[in-house]
């Protein structure tokens, strides 16, 4: 099979043709000129085999030997059609041997690799049997077929043609191609490839054939002598030569070479290639990439191939590591000798791919493709270009030559060449080449970045040259360069950052400086600026600006930015590219942690983590698109949320601290760093103050030791160099200057080098005296520790130093317009100053050249092309001391890192939440809030939680502290449900963002309640606003409130609308009718359907917040958290000086007339504010949670409650009443603490206005009852307080409270828990007496019953129903009597005199009982008489050793009977009072007789008896009727009989001593009962009447008794209170 090169070429195996490819180019090679090599790195349009999965070998359906034969015929057929080989011998067709056997074998045998790879120059033939003369050729066969060569000569001896014939001959006997010698198989094809006399189509056919052999697995890993074959093949394709003809055909050859090189490296035999072969192949590929002459398509294809081959080569690095095991150093040592022998020098100049002329000094020639332009008809015997000489003069040495598989040397050399292409200052390399190199390097680090970092020879390239070039390229304005350099830098840091600590800091610092805008965040309407507090306006890494100096080189601002001296203003596209680079790094999970640990926590490093977070936060704001692109804000937001996501993902990780820095040590370093920064700032403002501050903080150990001071000043980079120069050069600080120069080692350095080192540490002052002082000390120190030859003494150093400074100024000061000083002038100025001699010319020349080329100036003031080089040199010097970067795959530093960075994160989330409109953004931000809250909770960052709560509450719009207008609240009822339509509910229901923020807020709060501190005030404000609008209950279950009190009342709605009654009504007419009816009634119009729908949305949102769970969790919070909540609650109370009121509708508006204009007047007095009650109740409830909370917050709550009570005049009574209840509950729980005292509280309560007190009666009494329910000190303290009884006395008359008051009094007075003491005894009796008095109302029903009974014919009537008041009155009388049992004990315990004690404890009882004995109510009066009688007859009442008890007659019984005799008393109950008088008279007589024995011994017996007789006289003569007229005589008769029988009343004849008593008795009775004495003493009637002595029985005696009785009656009348209205009746 033959192929005509003029028509086309055979198809490349594995590729499909759809017709003829133009100019021989396969269809699948067509691609856009802008093909991205990155896209092609995996599977390009060239069908590049994947690196990780080498292409599977294709199966072949034909016989392999036949296939190879066919390929041989194809190549030779194409060659014969070329004029050069038009007359070839028959053997080339038949495959026979044209010459002798020895010649055929020798020619077909491939050259040894040692010769084939060592040189391309023709070598003399070593085999004498090889001859170019045709004398030994057999012409017979050729003549038989009539095949004659040109001019009668045969061409069978052409080596290119004959080699194929020999191969066909050798294959004739081959049965298994796998056993055929691989170099022999490839030999003829390689000759064609290397021959310069072939054309491009012929060369292409040879390459296609070899490609097929690999594709069909004819050449595989098991092929004989495969390594040798691979070396030969690599050498051949990298030295490919052919005649240039059509450029398209030529480039097809190059494309096929690229394809073949890819296949060689990617397939199994690729690892057998040697270092030199790999370098040749890479050199060839790079040369194609860099040749401008080649088409864009070819160059891009070459780039794609390079990418693929580099993937394979750097993947090999990983396998080398595996083979080397743990001994990575062994690989470096074993390949050290080969490192320098393998070199690459890709051709990048000219328009041809040529090999530079070899020089004798080169160890090996540069291996490149060579395209010649030889004439097509040039004789084949051309010495230089003819293949005949090249191929036939090669050695036929069969000695095995072992080639080492390629390893570290070729990999390093490839990386070196690629890195060198990046040099921005090498003008031979254009930006296109740099972009290509960057893409290839990026792939290399993507594949083997960590492995590169492990090998010192490769890592050194990355640390120094690669980073230096990269960090300069990122300052380029060329977007292609910028994008690729940023990508490479990102890949480099992502894979090798462990060894690039300082390089990474430099790179990131530059990006931060470029991207961190100094523009203030614009204020938008509706967004509180406080929400984005914490966003840094400038990065922390910004150093103090160095002042401009006359000696600095002024450079335009744009040039300065290019030099990287400041971030400056980059183009929007450049900013976006930089942001993408930063974001790609931030997507590394541990990246930000590593920044924090390695930089923020190190004293000498910048705060990169904080700066990065600040950068992302600031650029996530929408306004950043104005100076960048619209893609930047979402990119930064995504990176910022990713940062939070990574921390959240590590929350559940087990802490892993082994192998990582100590967290506590890092904290200390960070604290020290902050102090140093603060101290350096102070030093830059005032050096003395700065040093004093640093000394006080322990940074400078001894401020009086100059060495301690100077070590710090030299060791920190945060000191202003100008301030430092001025400070050490002052005359007063000479000791500081000397100590500062002691820190330098000038040994072995020239004067200019030492001076440069010194002046790079501070800025030289401008004043001449200061400069002289510094130079003087420098000269002394230089001579003291430097033994430099050629400098005589310190004076010589002094003069030379001055000359150097002058030279530096002359050479670099832009203000000097004259001719610059040359070396001769410089040397002339220094003649004879070296101790009378001259300095050595060579010495001065070096100094001159150094100063001329490199200005001595501060690094901060470098503004020329050497700036970066100097900074880079300094960076490399510090690299070893800085150490490697710690990779932090742990969560132990997350807490400290998040604590340092949460402010900008949360501020950004808030701002984005407010300004976003996309659901995806909302979703991400909500997740971010959740994660921030989880992180803050996990690590105890309460401030962060508070900030989240504040931010979300502000967004929710529910935390407003402005008074809400609830006057128009309307309740809508539908069947059993209702909803309150309010202004807040409608507004909130329309605001989706506010609803979402509220749900997120309480999702954050739920479970994190214990972490919240100041954020509670915003949450409580939300609860208050929801509560007063009836959107939530005060507390979500009774178990959450430990106060037994009804729910907090809210104001009544302006109207209640029952929609259930109008369910069938609809339409416009119904709405219009509703509006008119509302207008006529002066009510607000009914809510619209939209308003109702908004309200329902609000209700759903509130329900979705699950506030009940939050309230449940609050009860379980620790004490510290409860303190914060209580503090926030109480902060919402109004100030003490202002009334606790807000302008809202009253709870129950007074019935006022509607004015003509339809507006109700505002009610007078304080208005009810339910929020105050809510706050106080909530605070009290929290305080009562347990003993710990009582102790923690009890005092604060108590003070707040008492403040409200003290300001009761300005507070609504409902608030006062509930406040008192809360206070009493708190008193009950905390009375053991000193901060609360029962007497003080009771006094405040008793001081309340009577009206307020009565309206607050029930809560007050409920609280009091709780406090005294149990026996204890509190019960005793309260019941003994006068204010306690004053409160009960004021409230007992209140209808709603009287029952509770009586219950309290009863509880105190009787039973086992009785609390009656000497202090409260009289108060208790007085209050009980009041209750009994109140029972007089029962007389009304009794008298009505009497009237009805008299009129009733049947005579039977039901008794009146019992009255609670009467029952309490009767019970009160009974209790009073029961208290008499306590009197003896009270008297005994009393410290009063006996008579005082008796009066103090008995008199109250008798006063109470006697006052109730005239009660109009019969039930109470009878109970009182019964109790009085039992009391008067009580054995504890009297005693033989004192006579105080006798007062029962004059103070109890006599006044009682006198009051009963009063008409108004009698008229209060005419029917019953007569009986009462009889009872009184009977009781008087009974008591007199009961104590007759004791009275007989009393001196006042006679007077007492006469008073009794006078009382009886008045009773009989009261006009009452038969009851007293019968009862009195009978009682007196009984007394007389008893007295007579006892010998107390006997006639004088029997006992002269009783004469007076007898006579007075007879005389008194004779006036109103003249028959009584004769009846009782009939025997005395017959006796003559005794004559009364004027002295004893005269007229003066009797009036004394009457006068006494009258006085007693008058006194009693005066003591009686005015009759009540009931008694008057």
């Amino acid at each position: 099979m033959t192929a005509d090169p003029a028509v086309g070429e055979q198809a490349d195996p594995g590729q499909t043709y759809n017709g003829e490819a133009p100019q021989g180019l396969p269809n699948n090679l067509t691609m856009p000129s802008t093909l991205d090599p990155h896209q092609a790195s995996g599977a390009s349009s060239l069908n590049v085999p994947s690196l990780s999965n080498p292409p599977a070998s294709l199966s072949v359906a034909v016989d392999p030997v036949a296939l190879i034969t066919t390929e041989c015929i194809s190549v030779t057929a194409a060659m014969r059609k070329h004029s050069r080989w038009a007359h070839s011998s028959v053997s080339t067709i038949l495959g026979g041997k044209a010459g002798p056997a020895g010649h055929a074998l020798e020619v077909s045998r491939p050259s040894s690799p040692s010769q084939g790879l060592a040189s391309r120059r023709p070598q003399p033939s070593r085999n004498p049997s090889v001859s170019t003369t045709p004398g030994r050729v057999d012409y017979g066969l050729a003549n038989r077929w009539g095949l004659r060569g040109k001019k009668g000569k045969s061409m069978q001896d052409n080596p290119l043609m004959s080699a194929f014939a020999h191969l066909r001959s050798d294959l004739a006997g081959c049965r298994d191609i796998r056993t055929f010698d691989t170099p022999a198989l490839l030999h003829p094809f390689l000759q064609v490839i290397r021959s310069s006399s072939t054309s491009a189509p012929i060369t292409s056919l040879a390459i296609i054939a070899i490609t097929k052999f690999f594709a069909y697995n004819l050449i595989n890993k098991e092929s004989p002598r495969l390594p040798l074959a691979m070396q030969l093949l690599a050498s051949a394709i990298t030295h490919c030569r052919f005649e240039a003809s059509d450029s398209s055909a030529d480039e097809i050859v190059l494309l096929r070479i690229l394809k073949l090189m890819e296949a060689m490296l990617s397939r199994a035999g690729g690892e057998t290639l040697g270092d030199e072969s790999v370098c040749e192949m890479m050199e060839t590929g790079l040369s194609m990439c860099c040749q401008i002459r080649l088409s864009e398509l070819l160059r891009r294809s070459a780039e794609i191939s390079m990418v693929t081959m580099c993937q394979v080569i750097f993947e090999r690095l990983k396998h080398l590591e595996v083979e080397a095991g743990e001994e990575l150093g062994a690989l470096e040592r074993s390949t050290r000798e080969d490192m320098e022998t393998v070199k690459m020098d890709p051709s990048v100049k000219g328009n041809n791919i040529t090999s530079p002329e070899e020089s004798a000094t080169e160890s090996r020639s540069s291996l490149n493709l060579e395209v010649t332009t030889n004439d097509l008809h040039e004789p084949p015997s051309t010495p230089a270009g003819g293949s005949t000489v090249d191929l036939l003069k090669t050695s036929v040495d069969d000695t095995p030559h072992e080639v080492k598989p390629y390893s570290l040397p070729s990999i390093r050399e490839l990386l070196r060449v690629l890195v060198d292409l990046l040099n921005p200052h090498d003008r031979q390399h254009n930006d296109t080449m740099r972009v290509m190199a960057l893409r290839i390097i990026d792939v290399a680090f993507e594949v083997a970045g960590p492995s590169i970092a492990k090998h010192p020879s490769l890592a050194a390239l990355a640390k120094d040259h690669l980073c230096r070039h990269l960090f300069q390229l990122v300052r380029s304005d060329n977007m292609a360069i910028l994008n690729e350099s940023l990508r490479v830098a990102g890949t480099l840091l992502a894979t090798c950052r462990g060894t690039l600590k300082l390089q990474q800091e430099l790179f990131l610092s530059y990006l931060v400086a470029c991207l961190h805008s100094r523009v203030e965040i614009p204020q938008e309407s509706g967004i509180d600026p406080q929400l984005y507090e914490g966003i840094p306006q400038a990065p922390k890494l910004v150093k103090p600006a160095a002042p401009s100096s006359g000696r600095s080189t002024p450079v335009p601002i744009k040039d300065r930015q290019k030099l990287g001296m400041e971030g400056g203003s980059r183009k929007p596209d450049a900013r976006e590219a930089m942001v993408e680079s930063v974001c790609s790094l931030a997507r590394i999970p541990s990246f930000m942690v590593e920044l924090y640990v390695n930089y923020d926590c190190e004293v000498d490093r910048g705060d990169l983590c904080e700066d990065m977070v600040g950068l992302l936060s600031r650029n996530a704001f929408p306004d950043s698109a104005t100076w960048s692109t619209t893609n930047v804000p979402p990119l930064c937001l995504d990176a910022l949320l990713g940062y939070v996501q990574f921390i959240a993902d590590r929350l559940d990780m087990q802490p892993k601290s082994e192998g990582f820095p100590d967290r506590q040590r890092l904290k200390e370093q960070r604290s020290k760093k902050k102090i140093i920064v603060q101290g350096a700032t102070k030093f830059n403002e005032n050096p003395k103050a700065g040093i004093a501050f640093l000394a006080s903080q322990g940074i400078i150990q001894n401020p009086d030791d100059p060495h301690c001071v100077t070590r710090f000043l030299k060791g920190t980079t945060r000191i202003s160099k100008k301030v430092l120069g001025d400070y050490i050069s002052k005359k007063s600080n000479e000791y500081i200057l000397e100590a500062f120069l002691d820190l330098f080692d000038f040994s072995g350095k020239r004067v200019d080098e030492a001076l440069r080192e010194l002046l790079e540490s501070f800025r030289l002052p401008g004043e001449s005296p200061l400069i002289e002082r510094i130079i003087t000390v420098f000269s002394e120190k230089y001579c003291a520790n430097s033994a430099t030859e050629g400098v005589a003494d310190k004076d010589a150093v002094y003069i030379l130093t001055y000359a150097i400074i002058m030279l530096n100024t002359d050479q670099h000061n832009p203000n000097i317009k004259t001719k610059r000083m040359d070396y001769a002038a410089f040397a002339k100025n220094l003649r004879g100053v070296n101790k009378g001699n001259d300095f050595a010319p060579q010495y001065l020349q070096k100094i001159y050249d150094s100063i001329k080329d490199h200005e001595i100036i501060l690094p901060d003031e470098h503004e020329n092309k050497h700036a970066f080089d100097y900074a880079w040199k300094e960076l490399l010097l510090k690299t070893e001391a800085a150490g490697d970067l710690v990779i932090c795959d742990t969560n132990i530093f997350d807490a400290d890192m998040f604590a340092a960075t949460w402010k900008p994160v949360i501020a950004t989330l808030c701002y984005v939440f407010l300004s976003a409109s996309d659901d995806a953004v909302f979703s991400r931000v909500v997740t971010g809030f959740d994660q921030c809250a989880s992180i803050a909770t996990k690590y105890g960052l309460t401030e962060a939680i508070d900030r989240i709560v504040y931010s979300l509450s502000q967004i929710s719009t529910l935390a407003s502290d402005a008074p809400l207008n609830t006057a128009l609240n309307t309740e809508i009822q539908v069947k059993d449900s209702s909803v309150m339509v309010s202004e807040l509910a409608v507004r909130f229901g329309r605001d989706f963002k506010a609803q979402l923020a509220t749900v997120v807020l309480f999702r954050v709060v739920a479970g994190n309640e214990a972490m919240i501190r100041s954020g509670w005030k915003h949450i409580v404000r939300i609860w208050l606003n929801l509560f007063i609008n009836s959107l939530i209950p005060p507390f979500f279950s009774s178990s959450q409130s430990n106060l037994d009190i009804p729910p907090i009342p809210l104001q009544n709605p302006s109207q209640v609308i029952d929609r259930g009654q109008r369910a069938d009504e609809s339409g416009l007419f119904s709405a219009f009718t509703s509006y008119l009816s509302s207008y006529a009634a002066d009510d607000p119009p009914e809510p619209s359907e939209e308003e109702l729908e908004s309200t329902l949305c609000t209700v759903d949102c509130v329900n979705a917040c699950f506030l009940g769970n939050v309230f449940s969790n609050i009860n379980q919070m620790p004490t510290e958290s409860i303190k914060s909540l209580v503090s926030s609650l109480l902060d919402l109370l109004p100030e003490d000086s202002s009334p606790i009121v807000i302008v809202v509708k009253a709870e129950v508006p007074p019935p006022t007339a509607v004015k003509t204009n339809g507006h109700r007047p505002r009610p007078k007095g304080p208005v009810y504010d339910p929020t105050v009650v809510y706050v106080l109740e909530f605070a009290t409830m929290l305080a009562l949670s347990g003993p710990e909370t009582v102790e923690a917050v009890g005092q604060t709550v108590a003070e707040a409650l008492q403040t409200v009570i003290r300001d009761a005049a300005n507070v609504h009574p409902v608030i006062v009443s509930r406040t008192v209840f809360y206070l009493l509950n708190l008193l009950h729980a905390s009375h053991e603490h000193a901060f609360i005292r029962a007497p003080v509280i009771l006094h405040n309560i008793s001081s309340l206005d009577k009206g307020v007190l009565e309206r607050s009666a029930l809560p007050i009494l409920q609280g009091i009852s709780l406090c005294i329910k149990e026996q204890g000190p509190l019960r005793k303290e309260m019941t003994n307080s006068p204010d306690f009884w004053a409160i009960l006395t004021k409230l007992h008359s209140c209808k709603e409270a009287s029952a509770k008051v009586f219950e309290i009094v009863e509880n105190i007075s009787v039973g086992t828990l009785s609390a009656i003491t000497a202090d409260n005894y009289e108060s208790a009796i007085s209050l009980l007496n009041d209750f009994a008095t109140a029972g007089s109302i029962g007389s009304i029903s009794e008298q009505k019953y009497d009237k009805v009974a008299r009129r009733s014919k049947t005579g039977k009537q039901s008794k009146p129903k019992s009255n609670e008041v009467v029952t309490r009155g009767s019970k009160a009388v009974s209790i009073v009597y029961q208290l008499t049992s306590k009197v003896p004990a009270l008297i005994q315990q009393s410290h009063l005199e006996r008579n005082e004690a008796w009066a103090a404890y008995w008199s109250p009882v008798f006063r109470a009982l006697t006052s109730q004995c005239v009660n109009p109510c019969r039930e109470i009066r009878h109970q009182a008489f019964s109790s009085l009688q039992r009391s008067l007859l009580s054995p504890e009442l009297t005693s033989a050793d004192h006579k105080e008890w006798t007062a029962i007659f004059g103070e109890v019984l006599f006044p009682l009977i006198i009051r009963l005799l009063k008409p108004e008393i009698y008229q209060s109950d005419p029917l019953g009072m007569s009986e009462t008088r009889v009872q009184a008279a009977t009781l008087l007589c009974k008591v007199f007789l009961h104590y007759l024995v004791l009275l007989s011994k009393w001196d006042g017996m006679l007077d007492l008896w006469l008073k009794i007789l006078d009382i009886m006289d008045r009773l009989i003569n009261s006009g009452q009727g038969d009851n007293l007229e019968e009862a009195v005589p009978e009682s007196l008769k009984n007394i007389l009989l008893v007295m007579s029988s006892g010998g107390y009343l006997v006639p004088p004849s029997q006992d002269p001593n009783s004469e007076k008593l007898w006579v007075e008795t007879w005389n008194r009775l004779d006036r109103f009962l003249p028959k009584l004495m004769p009846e009782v003493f009939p025997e005395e009637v017959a006796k003559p009447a005794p004559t009364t002595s004027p002295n004893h029985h005269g007229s003066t005696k009797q009036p004394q008794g009457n006068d006494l009785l009258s006085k007693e009656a008058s006194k009693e009348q005066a003591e009686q209170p005015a009759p009540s209205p009931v008694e008057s009746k």
Side-chain angles (χ1 to χ4, degrees), residues 714-928:
K714 185 176 184 293
T716 181
T717 59
R718 305 179 187 276
I719 297 296
S720 169
K721 304 301 182 182
K722 177 184 183 305
V723 175
L724 177 59
D726 293 340
Y727 177 71
I728 63 175
S729 60
K730 288 184 178 179
K731 187 173 183 180
S732 58
N733 293 332
E734 287 185 359
Y735 63 99
I736 296 288
L737 178 59
E738 293 177 358
F740 188 81
L741 266 73
D742 286 339
L743 300 175
F744 293 87
D745 182 10
F746 300 136
S747 57
K749 298 177 182 178
R750 294 196 312 267
V751 174
D752 63 309
E753 295 172 339
L755 182 62
R756 186 183 299 274
E757 180 183 358
L758 174 66
L759 295 184
E760 285 170 351
S761 61
F762 65 90
R763 185 176 182 276
L764 194 65
E767 293 82 359
S768 177
L770 301 181
I771 296 175
E772 181 182 359
R773 189 172 295 118
I774 293 175
I775 294 177
T776 300
V777 177
F778 167 74
S779 303
E780 295 173 354
K781 299 295 181 181
Y782 181 83
C783 291
N785 61 10
S786 177
T788 303
E789 296 181 2
V791 181
D793 54 16
K794 65 179 181 179
D795 293 335
V797 174
Y798 179 88
I799 298 174
L800 179 58
T801 302
Y802 247 119
I804 293 173
I805 294 175
M806 294 174 63
L807 175 64
N808 187 74
T809 303
D810 176 81
Q811 294 294 320
H812 301 286
N813 193 324
N815 298 324
I816 298 178
K817 306 300 181 181
T818 58
K819 182 181 177 181
R820 304 287 179 175
M821 184 186 302
D822 57 9
Y823 169 72
F826 175 66
K828 180 179 179 181
N829 292 337
L830 294 172
R831 289 177 182 174
V833 299
N834 189 17
K835 205 172 183 179
N837 300 318
D838 294 342
F839 292 104
Q842 299 84 355
Y843 188 79
L844 292 181
Q845 184 68 52
K846 291 180 180 179
I847 292 176
Y848 179 85
D849 293 341
S850 174
I851 300 301
K852 181 179 179 180
D853 295 338
H854 302 285
E855 179 185 7
I856 298 179
I857 197 171
L858 271 176
D860 296 344
E861 295 181 358
H862 268 284
E863 294 170 351
N864 51 37
K865 64 180 181 179
H866 303 292
F868 189 88
D869 291 337
Y870 177 81
W872 192 258
K873 182 186 72 174
E874 290 296 307
L875 182 144
L876 294 178
L877 291 175
K878 297 176 182 177
T879 299
E880 185 176 353
D884 290 340
L885 183 136
V886 180
I887 305 298
C888 300
D889 185 18
T890 180
N891 62 354
I892 60 175
F893 308 111
D894 286 353
D896 300 328
M897 178 180 67
F898 191 73
T901 57
W902 63 260
K903 289 183 179 179
V905 173
I906 295 175
T908 304
L909 293 180
C910 294
Y911 195 93
V912 173
F913 190 97
L914 283 169
S915 58
S917 58
D918 187 81
D919 289 344
V921 176
F922 281 129
S923 176
R924 292 292 305 277
V925 172
V926 167
T927 303

Side-chain angles (χ1 to χ4, degrees), residues 509-551:
S509 298
Y510 173 73
L511 294 186
V512 170
C514 287
L515 296 175
H516 207 306
S517 171
R518 309 302 198 275
V519 179
E520 293 187 2
I521 300 173
Q523 296 188 10
E524 296 187 16
S525 60
I527 300 181
D528 185 357
Q530 292 184 351
L531 288 177
Y532 44 83
E533 282 184 355
I535 301 293
Q537 293 298 317
K540 299 178 70 173
L541 56 83
V542 175
K543 296 180 180 179
S548 177
S549 66
R551 299 179 296 106

Side-chain angles (χ1 to χ4, degrees), residues 856-1047:
I856 298 179
I857 197 171
L858 271 176
D860 296 344
E861 295 181 358
H862 268 284
E863 294 170 351
N864 51 37
K865 64 180 181 179
H866 303 292
F868 189 88
D869 291 337
Y870 177 81
W872 192 258
K873 182 186 72 174
E874 290 296 307
L875 182 144
L876 294 178
L877 291 175
K878 297 176 182 177
T879 299
E880 185 176 353
D884 290 340
L885 183 136
V886 180
I887 305 298
C888 300
D889 185 18
T890 180
N891 62 354
I892 60 175
F893 308 111
D894 286 353
D896 300 328
M897 178 180 67
F898 191 73
T901 57
W902 63 260
K903 289 183 179 179
V905 173
I906 295 175
T908 304
L909 293 180
C910 294
Y911 195 93
V912 173
F913 190 97
L914 283 169
S915 58
S917 58
D918 187 81
D919 289 344
V921 176
F922 281 129
S923 176
R924 292 292 305 277
V925 172
V926 167
T927 303
F929 273 124
D930 279 345
Q931 292 170 343
C932 286
S934 300
I935 297 168
T937 302
K938 174 76 173 181
Y939 298 126
L941 304 176
T942 58
E943 191 177 353
I945 285 286
D946 289 336
R947 187 66 183 182
I948 294 174
V949 170
Y950 163 74
S951 302
L952 290 174
S953 62
Q954 294 301 308
I955 300 173
S956 74
T957 70
L958 293 177
S960 173
D961 54 0
L964 297 177
N965 183 12
T966 57
L968 299 180
N969 286 10
T970 302
E971 183 177 354
I972 306 295
Q973 295 180 349
V974 179
K975 296 182 180 180
D976 297 333
S977 60
S978 65
V979 63
M980 185 72 73
V981 180
S982 61
E983 179 185 344
L984 178 138
V986 173
R987 184 182 70 246
F988 182 75
R990 295 170 176 168
D991 191 342
F992 170 73
K993 285 185 181 179
Q995 296 175 47
L996 181 59
T998 304
V999 173
V1000 175
L1001 169 62
F1002 287 102
R1003 221 166 79 176
V1004 168
V1005 172
N1008 299 327
E1009 294 86 358
M1011 297 300 302
I1012 301 174
R1013 294 295 182 266
S1014 62
W1016 279 119
K1017 60 183 177 182
H1018 310 293
I1019 300 173
V1020 172
R1021 177 57 66 183
I1022 292 177
W1023 286 340
L1024 289 176
N1025 290 334
L1026 293 176
F1027 169 67
I1028 64 174
N1029 285 281
S1030 302
L1031 292 171
I1032 61 170
F1035 306 101
F1036 284 80
S1037 68
S1038 57
S1039 61
Q1040 292 173 357
S1041 177
N1042 45 19
L1043 299 174
D1044 184 15
I1045 193 172

Side-chain angles (χ1 to χ4, degrees), residues 1425 1453 1456-1457 1460 1475-1485:
F1425 261 101
L1453 292 174
L1456 172 60
I1457 295 175
L1460 289 172
E1475 183 182 355
T1476 302
R1477 289 179 177 180
V1478 174
Q1479 291 176 346
T1482 305
L1483 178 60
L1484 176 60
C1485 297

Side-chain angles (χ1 to χ4, degrees), residues 1326-1398:
S1326 175
L1327 183 55
L1328 290 169
N1329 184 52
D1330 291 341
F1331 273 107
T1333 302
S1336 62
I1337 194 173
S1339 63
I1340 298 174
S1341 59
E1342 291 175 347
Q1343 292 175 22
K1344 286 182 180 179
Y1345 174 77
D1346 293 341
K1347 291 179 181 179
V1348 174
R1350 286 196 300 269
R1351 296 172 184 173
S1352 175
K1353 297 179 180 180
T1354 60
K1356 294 183 178 180
Q1357 291 292 330
S1358 59
K1359 294 183 178 180
K1361 295 181 179 180
S1362 61
N1363 189 310
E1364 293 182 359
V1365 179
V1366 176
T1367 302
R1368 283 196 294 269
S1370 177
K1371 200 170 185 178
V1373 173
S1374 176
I1375 294 173
V1376 169
Y1377 168 71
Q1378 294 178 47
L1379 290 178
T1380 58
S1381 62
K1382 300 183 178 296
V1383 171
L1386 294 175
I1387 292 176
Q1388 185 175 0
Q1389 297 171 6
S1390 174
H1391 299 290
L1392 300 176
E1393 296 293 335
R1394 179 57 66 95
N1395 57 339
E1396 295 177 354
W1398 191 94

Side-chain angles (χ1 to χ4, degrees), residues 1013-1018 1020 1119-1133 1175 1178-1179 1182 1192-1193 1196-1197 1200:
R1013 294 295 182 266
S1014 62
W1016 279 119
K1017 60 183 177 182
H1018 310 293
V1020 172
T1119 303
E1120 193 64 28
S1121 301
I1122 291 181
K1123 286 178 66 176
S1124 301
L1125 176 52
V1126 169
S1127 177
S1128 298
L1129 281 166
L1130 299 181
D1131 286 343
L1132 296 177
L1133 292 175
V1175 168
F1178 201 176
L1182 293 172
V1193 300
T1196 305
V1197 177

